[in-house]
Amino acid sequence: MQTPPNSLAALIQAVAFAADKHRNQRRKDAEASPYINHPIALANVLANEGGVQDVTVLCAAVLHDTIEDTETTADELRALFGDQVASVVLEVTDDKSLDKAVRKQLQIEHAPHISPQAQLVKLADKISNVRDILASPPADWSPERKQAYFDWAAAVVAGLRGVHPGLEEVFDGLYARRLGAG
Ligand code: NDP
Ligand code: ZN
């Protein structure tokens, strides 16, 4: 059943739904953290560092990897969370039938053209991932690979500029720390 759009109940339902969908997945850090920590981190960045109160954005942040990385369909999200949330999640979902290098290039090219709500989710995703690479990176990543990721993330964020200057500053602060990341 669809919860009232933009409600606190919808946000809690999104957290429960994402936790269930990602229940058997782990992040790539040495400790293999529970996957759900990452979608929750995005919502936390948006709400508590960015002051974002738009529940559609917070729900989409929590759900942002469900279509890409689990069996979840857009129809399922539409039925539970409504058209708007489903549409924002689709905007931040890569087409996995494409080669990884193409997908990464398309993220750079598409960033300026997606909705502001999707831009906020994407910005929070890049903040969360560069933060993870600084604090708890994938165990086997060389300094060069970390650097390549930082530079690609910065190229995506360049296309989002203006959507939220405060969060852009958070990203810039993390990017500036990359050289000490080793
Ligand atoms: P990957 O796409 O393989 O890994 C990064 C993604 O993993 C993130 O975007 C994030 O995605 C997810 N993730 C899970 N756990 C973590 C964590 N602890 N910290 C950060 N991210 C995590 O990386 P890339 O292919 O982008 O590699 C980075 C760069 O290195 C590239 O630019 C590439 O050119 C270069 N490179 C790539 C190689 C390869 O085999 N792919 C080999 C050598 C170099 P999400 O938010 O969706 O969970
Ligand atoms: Zn993500």
Side-chain angles (χ1 to χ4, degrees):
M1 196 189 71
Q2 195 181 322
T3 45
N6 247 12
S7 64
L8 190 54
L11 180 57
I12 299 300
Q13 190 183 21
V15 172
F17 180 90
D20 182 48
K21 292 289 189 175
H22 291 297
R23 67 188 179 281
N24 294 321
Q25 298 174 329
R26 295 288 179 274
R27 300 293 288 170
K28 297 174 179 169
D29 58 292
E31 290 184 9
S33 307
Y35 198 94
I36 191 63
N37 290 11
H38 167 67
I40 291 174
L42 263 69
N44 196 31
V45 164
L46 288 163
N48 294 308
E49 296 182 66
V52 172
Q53 296 186 347
D54 180 346
V55 178
T56 295
V57 172
L58 300 178
C59 284
V62 165
L63 298 167
H64 80 280
D65 276 334
T66 55
I67 295 180
E68 198 172 296
D69 294 334
T70 79
E71 298 298 304
T72 307
T73 64
D75 280 345
E76 212 176 340
L77 294 187
R78 258 182 228 113
L80 287 170
F81 304 105
D83 288 346
Q84 257 199 307
V85 169
S87 146
V88 175
V89 174
L90 279 175
E91 285 188 279
V92 299
T93 298
D94 283 358
D95 179 352
K96 278 206 161 170
S97 70
L98 301 172
D99 279 354
K100 196 165 174 184
V102 174
R103 279 189 266 144
K104 292 183 81 89
Q105 180 58 31
L106 286 177
Q107 280 206 34
I108 296 171
E109 290 174 19
H110 289 165
H113 308 295
I114 59 179
S115 70
Q117 289 176 315
Q119 287 181 329
L120 285 171
V121 174
K122 198 162 268 295
L123 179 55
D125 195 27
K126 298 304 175 255
I127 288 171
S128 168
N129 283 333
V130 298
R131 201 168 256 165
D132 282 351
I133 289 170
L134 288 169
S136 51
D140 55 348
W141 279 27
S142 64
E144 293 72 27
R145 184 151 181 194
K146 292 181 193 172
Q147 178 66 54
Y149 191 92
F150 270 91
D151 288 340
W152 169 71
V156 177
V157 169
L160 308 170
R161 294 274 167 193
V163 72
H164 193 306
L167 288 178
E168 290 155 36
E169 216 171 286
V170 171
F171 178 87
D172 293 341
L174 294 165
Y175 185 80
R177 284 174 50 198
R178 76 198 181 284
L179 295 174

